[in-house]
Amino acid sequence: MKIARLEALLVDLRMKKPFRVSFGQLRARPTVIVRLTMDDGRVGYGEAAPLPEPSYCAETPDTCMHVLERYLGPSVVGRDVAEPRDAVRLMSWVRGHHFAKTAVECALWHIHAAARDRSLSACFGGTRTSIPVGESLGIHDQLESLLEEVELRLSQGFRRIKLKVAPGWDVQVVRAVRRRFGEIALTVDANSAYDLESGEVFVQLDDAGLQMIEQPLADDDLSDHAILQAKLRTPICLDESVHSVADAKAALALGSCRVMNIKTGRVGGPLAAMEIHDRCRDAGVPVWMGGMFESGIGRAFNLALASLPNFSLPADMSPAEFYFDGDLVDPSFRVEADGTIRVPQAPGLGFPVDEERIRRQTQSKVDVTADMAARIDLS
Ligand code: OSB
Ligand code: MG
């Protein structure tokens, strides 16, 4: 089966309200939707969902559009692809750009699953039919409004509360949440806001009974994370630091963390995510599925991967309606009263893509067809 066409659409997800983390404020959410068409007419969707600015990682929606048009599209369009792994191989000469590559790989998993009449979860080797979810809460201007949001999410059944922290919004906020809500499952995510000099903060956080401290230090510093982890009882969870299977191997070898956050796009796609899952399982390190405020298209792949057995901690997987006015799949998933999301068992993506909404919210588009790809010299 040949890939006949790759379309990359820059789609505006229309955020309802800003979300603040240590490195800045997310106000708008452009995302990149990839639509692959095979030569037999089959269609598959994938999503590349880095943040709008290069603050979480180097990629942005614009770099994805560029790399998909110039390099990844021409590498796969017009080529024979029997399974997703073949496309990963065709794209492997391009260094980095994991979010962009993930969109292509995911679109092929969509086609692959539908063609075999199997769910994504079954294709990935998933074993669970529902997955527990937590909620990630941004930095607020006022403590009281944060506490109200914690209360709301707990009442909706969420299995864990993750607080975004930064210097000035950390120990006292954690203590206030503990005072009000007691021994709930609580974690913090610093998005690299600290360094090894921030000793006192970690001593105090270490006494707060947190399930984990996510990404306290610089994204490129596995060795400092190993030094900090050796001093803490609380598990460190790496997010930004793990861009690949090789990073995961290094983190496990160095003891840089005791928990790992896997995001499909950050690590380079479902195949890389599955390999990291297996290596962490063998090392006795539990993993959980992170999120990038994807639409329901990206979340569909996250949800299916999160059904693998070592994804044993609650995922960041709130429905799109929490953040955006409408999803790109309809109907989307919902969080049940027991704080879980059902893993679709239907063949293919598991959610109907809302093509009309995608068309309405598309800001720009690139289109790579076989005759164009043949004319581009990649050598
Ligand atoms: O650090 O986990 C993070 C969102 C965007 C970028 C980075 C992060 C996050 C989240 C939330 O915490 C995730 C979500 O529900 O998609
Ligand atoms: Mg994180």
Side-chain angles (χ1 to χ4, degrees):
M1 207 165 36
K2 276 191 171 55
I3 299 178
R5 183 179 188 190
L6 179 151
E7 294 157 274
L9 313 169
L10 189 66
V11 181
D12 175 15
L13 288 182
R14 298 180 187 161
M15 274 197 100
K16 281 180 172 166
K17 58 172 197 242
F19 186 96
R20 184 135 52 93
V21 303
S22 65
F23 54 68
Q25 182 134 236
L26 185 67
R27 294 166 203 276
R29 211 307 168 236
T31 193
V32 175
I33 300 299
V34 164
R35 186 172 189 266
L36 285 186
T37 309
M38 306 305 284
D39 58 359
D40 65 358
R42 288 176 196 272
V43 168
Y45 285 89
E47 180 169 1
L51 295 187
E53 285 100 29
S55 47
Y56 167 84
C57 66
E59 288 180 270
T60 68
D62 289 336
T63 70
C64 290
M65 293 294 282
H66 172 71
V67 166
L68 285 160
E69 178 177 28
R70 287 284 296 276
Y71 307 111
L72 300 178
S75 298
V76 299
V77 172
R79 306 295 295 267
D80 255 311
V81 173
E83 51 179 313
R85 191 176 294 279
D86 299 335
V88 171
R89 218 171 284 127
L90 289 169
M91 296 188 290
S92 66
W93 70 275
V94 175
R95 294 221 174 139
H97 298 286
H98 285 174
F99 281 92
K101 288 175 178 173
T102 293
V104 177
E105 189 191 330
C106 284
L108 283 162
W109 279 110
H110 178 184
I111 292 164
H112 180 88
R116 279 157 191 74
D117 229 14
R118 301 181 76 197
S119 66
L120 284 176
S121 168
C123 290
F124 293 151
T127 53
R128 260 175 297 134
T129 55
S130 71
I131 63 148
V133 292
E135 174 68 338
S136 170
L137 305 187
I139 295 170
H140 286 226
D141 293 329
Q142 301 293 333
L143 185 58
E144 197 46 46
S145 75
L146 174 81
L147 295 173
E148 280 167 23
E149 199 177 351
V150 174
E151 181 156 19
L152 172 68
R153 297 314 180 201
L154 290 173
S155 75
Q156 289 171 331
F158 282 86
R159 298 280 188 97
R160 162 282 274 154
I161 295 294
K162 160 169 139 182
L163 304 174
K164 290 289 189 179
V165 292
W169 184 267
D170 45 37
V171 176
Q172 64 288 15
V173 178
V174 168
R175 286 188 182 146
V177 170
R178 277 277 181 250
R179 259 197 310 276
R180 179 85 60 99
F181 302 101
E183 294 309 303
I184 58 167
L186 188 63
T187 76
V188 296
D189 184 359
N191 289 108
S192 301
Y194 300 91
D195 55 35
L196 280 183
E197 311 299 303
S198 323
E200 192 49 33
V201 170
F202 295 120
V203 169
Q204 292 177 15
L205 288 177
D206 206 22
D207 285 333
L210 299 171
Q211 257 187 7
M212 67 189 88
I213 299 174
E214 183 174 342
Q215 197 66 40
L217 309 176
D219 74 309
D220 58 355
D221 210 333
L222 289 178
S223 123
D224 271 4
H225 277 101
I227 291 170
L228 182 61
Q229 180 64 94
K231 293 181 182 155
L232 298 180
R233 279 168 288 129
T234 312
I236 288 178
C237 168
L238 290 179
D239 174 354
E240 284 94 315
S241 287
V242 181
H243 295 282
S244 61
V245 174
D247 285 344
K249 286 196 305 197
L252 295 174
L254 287 167
S256 308
C257 64
R258 288 188 206 134
V259 172
M260 216 177 274
N261 164 323
I262 295 179
K263 293 186 186 175
T264 315
R266 193 192 69 230
V267 302
L271 286 166
M274 287 185 261
E275 186 171 346
I276 294 173
H277 164 276
D278 292 353
R279 286 180 178 274
C280 285
R281 176 199 58 207
D282 296 346
V285 168
V287 303
W288 56 282
M289 180 53 71
M292 288 297 297
F293 298 129
E294 298 92 344
S295 76
I297 293 176
R299 296 280 216 221
F301 298 93
N302 296 350
L303 188 52
L305 286 165
S307 69
L308 272 67
N310 192 39
F311 278 93
S312 52
L313 294 163
D316 276 346
M317 191 89 66
S318 294
E321 67 188 21
F322 280 30
Y323 310 110
F324 315 119
D325 76 9
D327 200 348
L328 304 182
V329 297
D330 185 22
S332 189
F333 56 83
R334 63 167 195 272
V335 178
E336 307 294 333
D338 66 350
T340 65
I341 298 174
R342 288 203 199 103
V343 181
Q345 304 299 314
L349 190 67
F351 301 96
V353 174
D354 188 342
E355 302 194 350
E356 183 42 43
R357 183 181 272 274
I358 291 179
R359 208 165 305 130
R360 278 203 310 275
Q361 294 179 201
T362 293
Q363 295 175 321
S364 65
K365 173 174 169 173
V366 303
D367 197 341
V368 183
T369 52
D371 55 321
M372 288 159 63
R375 272 186 269 125
I376 294 173
D377 183 6
L378 292 171
S379 60

